[in-house]
């Protein structure tokens, strides 16, 4: 297994000749994604400020790009691509399920506390 | 005649033992499971950050205004540039790590040594950058006034540019000296006293007609609200109780103290991971030089440490997004 690397990324769109070449390819990809994030973060285009599902479109883009980066770090740097399906699912699904659950509960609760201070009879600042 | 069963008759069958369904060594598998649990710890922190942020959604500090510094470029507002550099350094050291793992598969000792060395250097640059980032954040840059309710009032000129306390306030003579262990109660400590008193700041504010107060509240344009001259003056006199310079666990000149608390806690916990990663990398580096893995016939140890190192990079990608971008 150690010598049998899966050398195709982006669903086989790009195939690398060697593992080393794939590593540099993934570095270029991650660098591009980070650069896009930084440029968007500095200029904050007006067109991306529209709210989609309660959050700015720009923030959704940031989160999606982050997950893209996380995917390539895990799949190619940590060689998750070469592990068995069972190990992959054990690690990834467990984490994703628990994290989504936690995030949903805490953000929901945070929004609720904000509303209580804003519209309720409780004041924090006099 | 034996009464104990030696052979179960199930050897080679699925449940007969010595079957490796995951085709991963014990060490690698356990590293993966540790990473899952550590990932859950970090998501707990980041989700708690999200909770506090949603709780103060209309007054949370804007990260672009907080992290604007780059070493050697004084007085320039360059948001995100330095964090982007730090992110790149960490990704780069991940690359050298995975190259070391790859060289290990081909049993090339010199190559593994060099790539491990570069990985360690990358990690050190990152930890150093984080220390600098902390120092800059603790020192602060403009200074602010804290109100009775714990809110922060910052100063801007009529064009909306930030103004530092030192630009308009004159420090007068003070009778109050800092309480130290050697001149007071030996078991009580007091932090550094602010450079100015609230009254000195108010006097300076009155003397400079072009100053306005900026509150924490974010308006519809996504910017902090700037008050009129009369409102500013009234708010300062009625509610101003303390001068805040920089940030620590109690006060934060950029806004909510929780922002500083989470910043210190999350980046600190991550920095501790990077630091321990560097230490482990150094141990493995020396083992590589000594030829331990050459004799063992496998560089799997480099691979296991590599998993941890990539995980640290992975966490930073998320910290970067949620602290600096979103």
């Amino acid at each position: 297994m150690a010598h049998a690397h899966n050398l195709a990324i982006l669903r086989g769109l790009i195939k690398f000749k060697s593992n080393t070449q794939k590593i540099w390819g993934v570095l270029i990809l991650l660098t591009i994604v980070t650069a896009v994030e930084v440029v968007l973060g500095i200029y904050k285009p007006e067109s991306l400020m529209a709210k989609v599902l309660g959050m700015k479109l720009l923030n959704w883009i940031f989160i999606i790009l982050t997950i893209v980066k996380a995917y390539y770090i895990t799949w190619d740097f940590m060689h998750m691509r070469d592990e068995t399906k069972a190990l992959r699912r054990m690690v990834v699904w467990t984490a994703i399920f628990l994290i989504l659950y936690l995030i949903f509960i805490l953000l929901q609760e945070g929004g609720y506390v904000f509303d209580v201070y804003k519209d309720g009879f409780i004041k924090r600042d006099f | 005649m034996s009464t104990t069963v030696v052979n179960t008759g199930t050897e080679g069958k699925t449940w007969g033992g010595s079957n490796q369904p995951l085709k991963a060594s014990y060490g690698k598998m356990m590293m993966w499971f540790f990473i899952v649990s550590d990932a859950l710890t970090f998501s707990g922190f980041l989700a708690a950050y999200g909770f506090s942020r949603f709780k103060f959604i209309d007054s949370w500090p804007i990260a672009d205004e907080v992290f604007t510094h780059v070493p050697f470029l004084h007085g320039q507002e360059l948001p995100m540039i330095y964090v982007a550099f730090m992110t790149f350094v960490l990704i780069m050291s991940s690359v050298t790590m995975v190259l070391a793992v790859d060289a290990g598969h081909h049993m090339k000792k010199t190559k593994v040594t060099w790539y491990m060395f570069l990985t360690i250097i990358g990690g050190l640059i990152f930890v150093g950058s984080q220390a600098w980032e902390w120092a800059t954040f603790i020192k602060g840059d403009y200074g602010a006034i804290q109100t009775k309710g714990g809110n922060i009032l910052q100063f801007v000129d009529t064009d909306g540019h930030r103004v530092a306390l030192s630009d308009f306030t004159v420090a007068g003579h003070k009778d109050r000296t800092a309480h130290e262990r050697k001149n007071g109660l030996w078991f009580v400590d007091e932090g550094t006293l602010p450079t100015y008193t609230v009254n000195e700041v108010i006097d300076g504010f009155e003397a400079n007609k072009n100053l306005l107060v900026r509150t924490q509240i974010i308006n519809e344009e996504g910017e902090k609200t700037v008050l009129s001259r009369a409102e500013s003056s009234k708010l300062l006199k009625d509610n101003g109780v303390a001068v805040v310079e920089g940030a620590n666990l109690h006060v934060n000149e950029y806004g909510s103290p929780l922002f500083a608390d989470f910043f210190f806690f999350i980046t600190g916990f991550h920095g501790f991971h990077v630091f321990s990663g560097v230490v482990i990398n150094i141990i493995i580096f020396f083992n590589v030089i000594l030829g331990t893995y050459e004799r063992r016939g496998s560089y799997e140890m480099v691979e296991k440490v590599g998993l941890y190192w990539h995980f640290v990079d992975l966490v930073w990608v998320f910290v970067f997004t949620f602290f600096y971008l979103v």
Side-chain angles (χ1 to χ4, degrees):
Chain A
M1 190 199 63
H3 294 277
H5 289 293
N6 188 348
L7 296 177
I9 66 168
L10 296 167
R11 298 207 162 269
L13 191 69
I14 303 174
K15 280 201 183 71
F16 294 104
K17 286 192 194 71
S18 72
N19 192 36
T20 335
Q21 211 181 42
K22 184 179 84 167
I23 294 164
W24 291 112
V26 172
L27 170 70
I28 291 168
L29 195 91
L30 293 179
T31 311
I32 293 170
V33 173
T34 310
V36 168
E37 283 182 333
V38 171
V39 169
L40 285 178
I42 291 174
Y43 293 104
K44 293 193 190 303
E46 209 46 53
S47 53
L48 298 177
M49 289 300 172
K51 292 246 178 180
V52 178
L53 295 172
M55 202 162 59
K56 279 182 209 147
L57 185 59
L58 184 65
N59 287 354
W60 281 115
I61 293 176
F62 284 147
I63 291 171
I64 290 164
L65 289 179
T66 305
I67 292 168
V68 168
K69 278 203 279 187
Y71 172 83
Y72 282 104
I73 290 172
T74 322
W75 255 243
D76 290 308
F77 287 174
M78 297 167 102
H79 299 302
M80 206 40 144
R81 213 185 278 280
D82 308 323
E83 301 293 351
T84 57
K85 227 176 221 169
L87 178 61
R88 205 152 64 204
R89 288 177 178 172
M90 255 180 236
V91 170
V92 177
W93 287 6
T94 310
I96 286 187
F97 169 72
L98 290 172
I99 291 169
L100 285 181
Y101 177 62
L102 183 72
I103 287 176
F104 167 71
I105 286 182
L106 282 184
L107 294 191
Q108 187 68 24
E109 190 68 12
Y112 168 73
V113 175
F114 172 75
D115 286 340
V116 167
Y117 281 132
K118 188 162 161 273
D119 306 321
F121 297 104
I122 300 171
K123 271 259 174 281
R124 184 178 58 85
D125 182 20
F126 295 93
Chain B
M1 294 297 276
S2 165
T3 48
T4 42
V5 180
V6 182
N7 290 322
T8 56
T10 55
E11 287 80 16
K13 296 218 170 85
T14 307
W15 300 101
S18 65
N19 185 12
Q20 294 195 332
L22 299 178
K23 297 189 183 64
S25 71
Y26 177 80
K28 237 169 101 174
M29 211 160 71
M30 288 306 129
M31 184 51 96
W32 269 115
F33 294 153
F34 163 72
I35 286 172
V36 171
S37 71
D38 215 20
L40 293 174
T41 310
F42 271 108
S43 11
F45 294 156
L46 283 172
Y49 171 83
F51 171 84
S52 296
R53 189 167 171 170
F54 271 51
K55 182 175 164 186
F56 298 113
I57 195 79
D58 63 345
S59 61
W60 200 249
I62 298 168
D64 274 2
E65 295 176 355
V66 181
F67 307 105
T68 58
H69 302 273
V70 176
F72 311 117
L73 297 174
H74 292 289
Q76 294 186 48
E77 301 261 313
L78 299 164
M80 306 242 303
I81 299 294
Y82 196 53
V83 227
F85 164 77
M86 282 165 71
T87 310
F88 185 73
V89 166
L90 209 54
I91 290 178
M92 207 52 222
S93 86
S94 245
V95 168
T96 52
M97 186 81 227
V98 73
L99 288 170
V101 172
D102 187 68
H105 285 160
H106 300 109
M107 302 297 286
K108 287 175 183 154
K109 188 181 154 186
T110 352
K111 264 189 154 177
V112 181
T113 315
W114 276 108
Y115 283 133
M116 284 300 291
F117 179 72
L118 291 174
T119 309
I120 292 166
I121 297 297
L124 289 176
I125 294 175
F126 183 85
V127 178
S129 302
Q130 218 168 31
W132 184 86
E133 187 99 333
W134 270 46
T136 317
F137 184 65
I138 292 169
K139 191 164 148 275
D141 41 5
Y142 292 104
I145 291 285
Q146 196 177 29
T147 66
K148 276 187 252 176
N151 291 330
I152 286 295
L153 305 176
Q154 296 167 332
F155 296 95
V156 290
D157 59 19
T158 35
D159 301 327
H161 296 298
R162 296 286 304 277
V163 179
L165 290 184
S166 56
D167 291 343
F168 64 89
T169 313
V170 185
H173 171 73
K174 283 186 194 60
D175 293 324
R176 172 89 160 77
T177 51
H179 173 197
E180 291 168 79
R181 280 164 192 258
K182 64 172 189 239
N183 64 10
L185 297 173
W186 59 269
F187 52 89
V188 181
D189 238 343
E190 180 183 60
T192 333
L193 289 178
T195 328
Y196 313 106
T197 64
V198 179
N199 285 328
E200 284 163 4
V201 174
I202 293 176
D203 289 344
F205 180 79
E206 293 298 328
N208 290 273
K209 299 292 174 209
N210 65 334
L211 290 180
L212 296 171
V213 158
R214 201 173 81 142
T215 66
Q216 278 175 242
I217 306 298
I218 296 171
N219 60 20
E220 267 131 42
E221 287 86 56
E223 285 159 6
K224 301 277 179 183
T225 316
V226 177
L227 301 177
S228 70
R229 178 77 188 170
E231 285 171 329
S232 304
S233 181
K234 186 173 164 9
L235 192 60
L236 266 181
K237 282 176 193 152
D238 291 352
N239 288 349
V241 287
V243 175
V244 180
E245 289 165 307
N248 54 45
L249 292 174
H250 306 290
V251 287
N252 171 15
E253 69 156 65
Y254 302 100
S256 170
L258 275 174
F259 180 84
D261 297 344
F262 277 111
F263 176 77
F264 289 129
F265 201 74
I266 296 178
T267 63
F269 199 68
H270 176 263
F272 178 69
H273 272 75
V274 180
F275 173 74
S276 49
V278 168
V279 171
I280 298 167
N281 276 346
I282 289 174
I283 296 170
I284 301 300
F285 173 69
F286 280 112
N287 275 341
V288 172
I289 292 182
L290 293 173
T292 310
Y293 307 123
E294 201 71 31
R295 284 193 297 277
R296 200 178 282 178
S298 147
Y299 278 88
E300 204 195 56
M301 207 62 207
V302 178
E303 207 171 329
K304 283 183 255 187
V305 174
L307 280 179
Y308 179 71
W309 190 251
H310 297 309
F311 170 69
V312 169
D313 181 26
L314 186 69
V315 170
W316 180 254
V317 165
F318 283 91
V319 173
F320 174 63
T321 301
F322 292 110
F323 249 98
Y324 298 94
L325 288 177
V326 170

